[in-house]
Amino acid sequence: MSSTIEDQAVVEDYLDRTERERIASYEAFLRIPSVSAIPSYLDDCRRAAEFVADDLGASGIEHVEVADTTGHPVVYGDWLHAGEDKPTVVVYGHYDVQPPDPLDEWELAPFEPLVRDGRILARGAADDKGQIHMHLRATEALMRTRGGFPVNVRFVFEGDEESDSAHLEAWLEANRSRMAADLAVISDTGFFEGNLPSITLSLRGLMYAQIDVVGPSQDLHSGGFGGTVENPANALATIIAGLKGPDGRITIPGFYDDVVPLSDADRAALAELPFDEETYRSTTATVPALVGETGWTTLERKGARPTLDVNGIWGGFQGEGAKTIIPARAHAKISCRLVASQDPDRIYELFREHVIRIAPPGVQVTVTYLGGGKPSLTPIDHPATRAAATAIEATFGRPPVFIRDGGSIPVCSSFEEILGLPVVLLGFANPDDNAHAPNESMVLANYEGGIRTIVRLWDELAALGRNGLR
């Protein structure tokens, strides 16, 4: 199926005529509180999966199913009639969302969409329901105006990404032959600072662990036992202080061994991005200063260097007033963002060994692995990357910038390692979307432009043909 300027005009006309219905559907999707991490939302996650499946089926996508997993369902559907000489593309997104807390900081209820000032506000508006919805509407537009796609397409939408995508990995393993394709397109990233159209070339991986420090069998009087037994909270503080040096460098032996160094060209490309550090600092609720590993720029630290952060710490008395105790236990959750070619399992072992090694005597220390994902890197000169850049420029009127994102999308490495597919990260979220925070939003111009870019990408990939992607 070939595409012409007239074909594109017909699609554009259809989208112009159906804007009201499109926004109503978007809002209906956002009203479903599909929070994957909280068991009480189990039925809502299934309801979100069924919403997506019904939408795909109504557009004419075939073999649509809501496939059960050990977690939340995977939604699958395909349309494979473009011909063997045309590429087969896997389209991925996730319908689950982060918990909405703190509720009192939302302008409106988090699952009651609010359209205002060219944005739509709701949990999931950008991450990632909004971007799934772009693909649903691009699909509808193509099926209604052309009767099909210029490429072969497989849709895979999961409901566990905000946890760790482990259930999707098992599903992919079990469906290897069914998932045969030439390319994966993931729409779960965003634009650069200033809302500049972008293509993300790399994502960091993740290692997540918990440290539990146990001392006495119960809280002790600090007057009677202070200075004679190790305080688990003090011990935990000692451990955490021993994980990084004053230069911001992680002190775990072997931690940096597998890091792929940035080339001079990589560093030059990052330096050329229109990035204003003061503006970036001000968007973080005006922290006093930007800090990080010595010897690297803010952009390099943000997307191309590994990190270690304490995500939560607790133990001992936390009520009002004073209670002079030595707590029986203390705990911390710690994550590491990883870069190519760091392996989360190996990093966990290095982390665990180091924590045990530096722990003070007099306490029992346990380190538990809570999950992880591998980093991803797509070459800037890959034909699919260039096709995506052409589609973005045709829609938004300027070529995209190429960026490295500090976040993690575990399924990237799954597509690469399990299915052997190159990945194009084609996302449209505005950089001030407040993903994972109150008042998450999607700029509607990004949403509308995203739909049109997706349609153009399929045409660009069809023009390349299967051989052009190799």
Side-chain angles (χ1 to χ4, degrees), residues 386-438:
R386 306 314 305 180
T390 299
I392 288 174
E393 183 172 4
T395 303
F396 287 93
R398 59 166 296 153
V401 296
F402 295 94
I403 63 176
R404 292 171 178 255
D405 195 281
S408 304
I409 302 178
V411 76
C412 281
S413 61
S414 301
F415 284 141
E416 292 167 352
E417 295 188 359
I418 297 173
L419 303 180
L421 301 181
V423 173
V424 171
L425 296 164
L426 184 70
F428 304 94
N430 36 288
D432 59 348
D433 62 359
N434 281 349
H436 294 208

Side-chain angles (χ1 to χ4, degrees), residues 50-362:
E50 291 171 348
F51 179 100
V52 174
D54 290 346
D55 198 303
L56 288 171
S59 290
I61 299 304
E62 301 172 338
H63 308 118
V64 176
E65 67 171 291
V66 177
D68 288 330
T69 72
T70 52
H72 298 294
V74 169
V75 180
Y76 175 84
D78 61 41
W79 191 90
L80 305 172
H81 304 292
E84 293 185 0
D85 61 327
K86 300 299 183 184
T88 298
V89 184
V90 173
V91 175
Y92 166 88
H94 65 90
Y95 61 80
D96 65 317
V97 299
Q98 283 278 318
D101 310 84
L103 297 177
D104 60 350
E105 295 185 16
W106 285 83
E107 294 186 28
L108 197 63
F111 297 106
E112 187 55 48
L114 170 65
V115 176
R116 191 192 63 199
D117 299 330
R119 294 174 183 253
I120 185 166
L121 281 73
R123 173 60 83 228
D127 182 22
D128 184 41
K129 284 182 174 179
Q131 308 209 54
I132 284 182
H133 205 259
M134 293 177 203
H135 280 282
L136 296 179
R137 299 286 66 79
T139 295
E140 176 192 47
L142 281 170
M143 297 297 286
R144 295 287 182 270
T145 60
R146 300 189 201 171
F149 284 75
V151 294
N152 304 296
V153 182
R154 301 183 189 274
F155 296 94
V156 177
F157 300 125
E158 69 158 317
D160 289 291
E161 195 275 345
E162 298 293 3
S163 302
D164 64 4
S165 292
H167 307 293
L168 177 64
E169 283 202 1
W171 187 89
L172 291 175
E173 290 279 8
N175 289 271
R176 279 176 183 263
S177 58
R178 184 188 198 183
M179 292 298 295
D182 302 291
L183 172 71
V185 171
I186 296 176
S187 295
D188 192 16
T189 51
F191 282 8
F192 190 64
E193 305 301 323
N195 206 26
L196 296 178
S198 311
I199 292 177
T200 300
L201 297 178
S202 70
L203 291 165
R204 292 191 290 195
L206 181 70
M207 188 285 295
Y208 205 107
Q210 179 167 320
I211 301 174
D212 298 295
V213 182
V214 177
S217 58
Q218 62 185 20
D219 292 351
L220 299 177
H221 191 299
S222 65
F225 292 91
T228 65
V229 299
E230 180 60 79
N231 182 317
N234 292 354
L236 179 59
T238 298
I239 292 168
I240 292 173
L243 296 175
K244 295 173 74 172
D247 60 355
R249 189 170 174 84
I250 297 161
T251 57
I252 299 170
F255 184 88
Y256 294 96
D257 286 357
D258 297 325
V259 171
V260 175
L262 286 174
S263 67
D264 291 342
D266 290 331
R267 300 191 78 172
L270 287 171
E272 290 174 1
L273 290 174
F275 177 70
D276 184 278
E277 290 201 1
E278 181 57 27
T279 300
Y280 176 72
R281 184 189 68 82
S282 67
T283 63
T284 65
T286 59
V287 295
L290 299 176
V291 300
E293 185 183 4
T294 300
W296 303 90
T297 68
T298 298
L299 276 182
E300 290 167 349
R301 297 195 306 263
K302 181 174 180 285
R305 294 293 293 168
T307 65
L308 184 151
D309 287 292
V310 177
N311 306 123
I313 185 168
W314 69 100
F317 178 66
Q318 299 175 47
E320 293 185 12
K323 186 179 183 183
T324 52
I325 61 166
I326 294 173
R329 53 191 60 84
H331 316 270
K333 292 182 184 291
I334 293 178
S335 67
C336 295
R337 296 288 178 170
L338 310 177
V339 298
S341 294
Q342 290 181 296
D343 179 82
D345 294 332
R346 180 170 186 271
I347 292 300
Y348 166 70
E349 288 300 328
L350 295 173
F351 172 81
R352 184 186 62 81
E353 292 169 3
H354 186 61
V355 167
I356 300 300
R357 183 167 51 246
I358 66 175

Side-chain angles (χ1 to χ4, degrees), residues 23 26-27 30 113-122 125-126 130 439-444 447:
I23 296 301
Y26 190 3
E27 292 177 338
L30 293 173
L114 170 65
V115 176
R116 191 192 63 199
D117 299 330
R119 294 174 183 253
I120 185 166
L121 281 73
N439 301 312
E440 179 179 346
S441 72
M442 171 70 79
V443 171
L444 288 173
Y447 168 78

